[in-house]
């Protein structure tokens, strides 16, 4: 086995590789940019080498610097993680030329499968089912519209060198095909340095299901079951699980056999993933092959018991696979949620800044947190907005989802916006729980965006009880500290008015021996908790059910968050509630005459000039953030009075781009 390896990546995947290397007794070298000088992967590795400025193009994407770092530290092999240089055949060739081992497949496989056009031709030759489409190079937007019409709408425009949802657009008309081609081409060029785009038929009611494969350098290839990755937003995976709730054994075997056949056709060695689109009748079609470790690999590790990173190291070291296809058994269920630095309430706009509080749930046999950050770390505009991957396991799908919901509620993040409320709402959604999902799930269930989880009667009651209890504990503590009243610690009997949204209820808390009762609306609900003031997450038993609630102080009470619901809960005396009702409401400023930048980002282009008339829905500007282009459109008809920004400008949130008359 290797004595020392270099990890040509950052963030959670670098930390993930380091963990397995430690377990195997292999030393690790981290590389870092200026922005990552204090990053977790730098702290975890045995050694760390600085490789350049924050921009990936000036650091993590420079093969020469990576190779020099390996040479300087005596590393014998390089693990690429995912993204960056992981699927660049020229990098693998350079690694091998330098006399180092590449912990991944050979250049031939990366070249063949990394180009989506070439890979589909090879897949067809290997007897793998493929989606109808146009695999040739498309010259311009007009040709894209013509080809799309010939294939038949809807179609998918995809960057040939793409991945991670970048360089992908769905079009339902000629106009959308033209617009989508330009955006896909721009994103592809920016992210991959390759602006080729191809078009294929978009399968409606599709599921995205992928097969994990593992091959060695001796011709052995096996598959390790499937992952369901249908919960996506803008073609970016959000939730993954293993196995799929949709597949039967026969379909699983057929997909696995085709994945192995394709892998053998390109002499594949190492871990890789063959992705399929599956229709409602279980017909499946090849999408692409990712010649690297996938973000969602932990769910496969949970249900198979196989450490994929360990297998990658062993294969790269020339070892034969110790596993056969008969050894692979799927046991239990695993669900993974991707925790991102983005604001779901504001259209999932990226969020950057410092993690002022970061408390992930405790890891256990059924809870795993893969992360590359820590409390006080910075979420940078230069890299992917992923904070962590939260993975839970259960004997059944229901158990894995229940564990995920509890773990999400215990995940406490402050300082930046994050998508945990949205993930919690997904886990609680009846349709997701039923397994009746497609890649259109989020678009269909949240057509107007996400405005917060549904406030069910059960959650509302839990928040009323929790707020009353929290307030009583704080009041008791205050009197104890000030020495005002000699009384036992804990909640004391008293009446309060609790307000959630526009509804107020009068509550009475009655302390008992080892718990308390909160009475309101002709009901009485038990609560038992060891919560003490200052604890960010309250774990309680309310009405006999365990619940985790995030607790944040505000001016009139607390902001309580659980199960995807976040509410400002007012806690007042009866007299204070009466006086509050008399206070005038503060009106928000009118911003309807301005186009504001919705996120920190770079202005890529402006489509209008001062004096131009615009129509509702018309594209006005394109802003890029975290390598994704966002088209900003007019909300209503109007005339441009002033353009306050220019292409190339870096703007903050709510910066004025243009003003209308």
């Amino acid at each position: 086995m290797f004595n020392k390896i270099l990890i040509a990546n950052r963030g959670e995947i670098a930390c993930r590789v380091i963990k397995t290397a430690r377990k195997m007794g292999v030393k690790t070298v981290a590389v870092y940019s200026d922005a990552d000088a204090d990053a977790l992967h730098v702290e975890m590795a045995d050694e760390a080498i600085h490789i350049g400025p924050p921009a990936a193009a000036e650091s993590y994407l420079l093969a020469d610097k990576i190779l020099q770092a390996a040479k300087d530290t005596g590393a014998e092999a390089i693990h690429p993680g995912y993204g960056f240089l992981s699927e660049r055949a020229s990098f693998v060739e350079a690694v091998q030329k330098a006399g180092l081992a590449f912990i991944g497949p050979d250049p031939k496989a990366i070249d063949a499968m990394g180009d989506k056009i070439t890979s589909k031709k090879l897949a067809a030759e290997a007897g793998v089912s493929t989606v109808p489409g146009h695999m040739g190079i498309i010259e311009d937007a007009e040709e894209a519209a013509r080809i799309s019409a010939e294939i038949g709408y809807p179609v998918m425009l995809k960057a040939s060198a793409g991945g991670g949802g970048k360089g992908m657009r769905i079009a339902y008309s000629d106009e959308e095909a033209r617009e989508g081609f330009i955006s896909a081409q721009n994103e592809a060029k920016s992210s991959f340095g390759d602006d080729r785009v191809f078009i294929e038929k978009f399968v409606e009611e599709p599921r995205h299901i992928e097969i994990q494969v593992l091959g060695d350098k001796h011709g052995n290839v096996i598959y390790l079951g499937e992952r369901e990755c249908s919960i996506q937003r803008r073609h970016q995976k959000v939730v993954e699980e293993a196995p799929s709730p949709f597949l039967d054994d026969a379909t699983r075997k057929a997909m696995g056999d085709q994945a192995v056949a394709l892998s053998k056709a390109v002499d594949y060695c190492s871990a890789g993933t063959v992705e399929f689109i599956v229709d409602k009748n279980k017909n499946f079609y090849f999408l692409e092959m990712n010649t690297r470790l996938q973000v969602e690999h932990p769910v496969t590790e949970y249900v198979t018991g196989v450490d994929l990173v360990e297998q990658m190291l062993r294969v790269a070291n020339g070892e034969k696979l110790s596993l056969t296809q008969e050894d692979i058994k799927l046991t239990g269920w695993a669900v993974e949620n991707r925790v991102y630095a983005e604001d779901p309430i504001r259209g999932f706009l990226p969020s950057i800044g410092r993690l002022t509080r970061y408390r992930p749930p405790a890891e256990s046999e059924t809870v795993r947190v893969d992360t590359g950050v820590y409390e006080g770390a910075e979420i940078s505009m230069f890299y992917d907005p992923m904070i962590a991957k939260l993975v839970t396991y259960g004997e059944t799908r229901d158990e894995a989802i229940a564990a995920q919901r509890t773990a999400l509620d215990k995940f406490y993040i402050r300082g930046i916006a994050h998508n945990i409320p949205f993930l919690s709402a997904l886990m609680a959604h009846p349709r997701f729980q039923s397994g009746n999902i497609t890649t259109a799930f989020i678009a269909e269930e949240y057509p107007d965006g996400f405005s917060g989880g549904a406030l069910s009667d059960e959650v509302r009651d839990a928040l009323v009880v929790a707020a009353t209890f929290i307030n009583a504990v704080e009041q008791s503590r205050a009197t104890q500290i000030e020495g005002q009243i000699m009384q036992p610690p804990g909640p004391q009997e008293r009446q309060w008015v609790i307000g959630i949204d526009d509804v107020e209820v009068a509550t009475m808390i009655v302390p008992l021996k080892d718990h308390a009762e909160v009475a309101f609306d002709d009901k009485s609900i038990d609560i038992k908790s060891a919560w003490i003031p200052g604890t960010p997450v309250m774990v309680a038993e309310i009405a006999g059910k365990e619940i985790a609630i995030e607790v944040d102080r505000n001016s009139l009470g607390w902001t309580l968050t659980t199960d995807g619901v976040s509410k400002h809960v007012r806690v007042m005396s009866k007299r204070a509630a009466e006086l509050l009702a008399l206070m005038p409401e503060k009106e928000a400023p009118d911003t309807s005459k301005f186009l504001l930048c919705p996120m920190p980002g770079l202005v890529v282009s402006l489509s209008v000039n001062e004096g131009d008339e615009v129509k509702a829905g018309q594209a006005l500007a394109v802003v890029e953030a975290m390598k994704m282009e966002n088209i900003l459109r007019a909300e209503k008809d109007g005339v441009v009075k002033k353009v306050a920004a220019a292409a190339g400008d870096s703007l903050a949130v709510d910066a004025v781009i243009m003003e209308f008359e």
Side-chain angles (χ1 to χ4, degrees), residues 22 270 298 389 429:
R22 278 182 182 173
S270 194
K389 300 182 308 197
H429 200 293

Side-chain angles (χ1 to χ4, degrees), residues 164-166 169 187 234 623-630:
K166 297 179 179 68
R169 293 292 188 276
E187 283 184 6
R234 291 187 65 176
V623 176
E624 180 187 282
M626 292 180 172
K627 299 183 180 179
M628 294 292 284
E629 286 195 354
N630 301 272

Side-chain angles (χ1 to χ4, degrees), residues 17-35:
V17 175
I18 290 170
K19 288 179 180 178
T20 287
R22 278 182 182 173
K23 181 182 71 174
M24 299 175 68
V26 177
K27 294 180 180 179
T28 55
V29 179
V31 293
Y32 65 93
S33 69
D34 291 341

